[in-house]
Amino acid sequence: MWTRALLKANAKTVLRRSYWNVFLMCLIASILTGSVDLNINFSGNSGGSSSGAVEQTSRLLGGNPITAILSTAFLMLGILALVLALVVVLCWGILFTPIIRVGQCRYMMENRSRETSLKVLFSGFTTNYWGLVSGMFYVNLRIFLYTLLLVIPGVIKSYQYTFVPYLLAENPNLEAARAAEISTIMTDGEKWNIFVLDLSFFGWNILGYLLFGLGILFVNPYYEATKAELYAAMRAKVVASGYVSEAELSGQIF
């Protein structure tokens, strides 16, 4: 039986010897997955400047018969740029971000017992890459479809599948449906407790946002270490129940 106090105490023990390594890993993962916005706006009136430039251009071209053609061309280029940007973001979100998440989970699990190399964060790109992509796409699509019904079913489904990236990190050859099934068993009767665990970091997150948002970066290692401890506890439970064997999970980390 796990408790929030026990998980957090174990996480703190791990971080005492590896906090800055975990911090660096979490920082890199956050930047690569877009969780951290590094864009800084040095102009408080950038929107006004842009609109002013458009208006000025419009005035300059106002008396020119080619204005309509140029306006249409600019509009088409803008639409094309927007479509390309959306395609890039979509591809990044499907082909890259989930693999980083799996690598992050593997790093945190390995770091529980030993010093871990930063390259573990990218291990998914060399270990059954397409299997991991399809597996994460499967669960993310299901969460998205449930979210379309109502927000609450989507939240419940996200908690139901919360251990899928950990399972795929431990055994990259695990079928997506089986990983979802194991995660469902792990979270059966535990989703509320996991939600409360997440909620217990609310105060830390608020404090992080008050520090210009940068404080969140220092909270992330604590949160990720605690979630790794939670996975270890849930993993032990399903293995002990006989529903999952060590062979199926391949025992690559534990």
Side-chain angles (χ1 to χ4, degrees):
M1 179 63 184
W2 63 274
T3 64
R4 295 190 302 277
L6 178 61
L7 295 183
K8 290 183 175 182
N10 291 342
K12 290 175 182 177
T13 298
V14 171
L15 292 177
R16 284 191 189 100
R17 61 167 173 79
S18 60
Y19 177 83
W20 290 110
N21 290 336
V22 176
F23 174 84
L24 178 60
M25 183 279 298
C26 288
L27 176 61
I28 294 174
S30 296
I31 293 173
L32 293 177
T33 58
S35 300
V36 173
D37 185 5
L38 297 180
N39 292 323
I40 301 176
N41 183 7
F42 292 102
S43 174
N45 193 31
S46 59
S49 299
S50 298
S51 61
V54 172
E55 293 175 1
Q56 184 178 5
T57 303
S58 177
R59 287 196 299 269
L60 290 175
L61 296 176
N64 196 319
I66 204 170
T67 299
I69 298 176
L70 290 176
S71 299
T72 302
F74 284 132
L75 177 62
M76 295 302 295
L77 287 174
I79 293 175
L80 178 60
L82 178 61
V83 170
L84 289 176
L86 290 175
V87 169
V88 170
V89 169
L90 182 62
C91 290
W92 190 271
I94 294 175
L95 302 176
F96 189 88
T97 298
I99 307 303
I100 292 295
R101 178 56 187 161
V102 170
Q104 186 176 26
C105 292
R106 184 177 180 89
Y107 182 100
M108 295 308 304
M109 289 187 292
E110 289 190 7
N111 190 66
R112 293 181 66 244
S113 58
R114 59 182 181 271
E115 184 176 346
T116 306
S117 171
L118 190 61
K119 66 182 181 182
V120 171
L121 180 63
F122 306 97
S123 59
F125 292 99
T126 57
T127 309
N128 194 22
Y129 170 76
W130 289 110
L132 294 178
V133 167
S134 61
M136 291 299 291
F137 179 78
Y138 172 82
V139 296
N140 288 333
L141 178 62
R142 287 179 64 87
I143 292 172
F144 173 73
L145 293 176
Y146 273 88
T147 304
L148 289 180
L149 298 176
L150 281 173
V151 174
I152 298 300
V155 172
I156 293 174
K157 189 61 66 172
S158 68
Y159 275 96
Q160 181 178 327
Y161 292 155
T162 191
F163 294 123
V164 168
Y166 293 90
L167 291 163
L168 293 178
E170 186 169 0
N171 182 3
N173 296 313
L174 198 62
E175 293 291 333
R178 178 57 176 164
E181 183 181 2
I182 296 173
S183 182
T184 299
I185 297 298
M186 283 180 163
T187 57
D188 186 30
E190 299 282 3
K191 285 185 279 291
W192 174 253
N193 293 329
I194 298 173
F195 171 74
V196 173
L197 176 64
D198 285 343
L199 198 61
S200 70
F201 285 90
F202 182 75
W204 286 104
N205 290 331
I206 291 297
L207 180 61
Y209 282 118
L210 290 176
L211 297 173
F212 308 101
L214 296 177
I216 295 296
L217 299 176
F218 295 92
V219 177
N220 279 344
Y222 184 28
Y223 176 76
E224 292 296 340
T226 303
K227 290 301 289 283
E229 293 299 323
L230 175 63
Y231 171 73
M234 295 295 96
R235 180 190 187 279
K237 184 181 77 170
V238 293
V239 170
S241 70
Y243 183 77
V244 180
S245 67
E246 287 284 357
E248 184 174 19
L249 293 181
S250 74
Q252 293 184 16
I253 299 170
F254 289 84

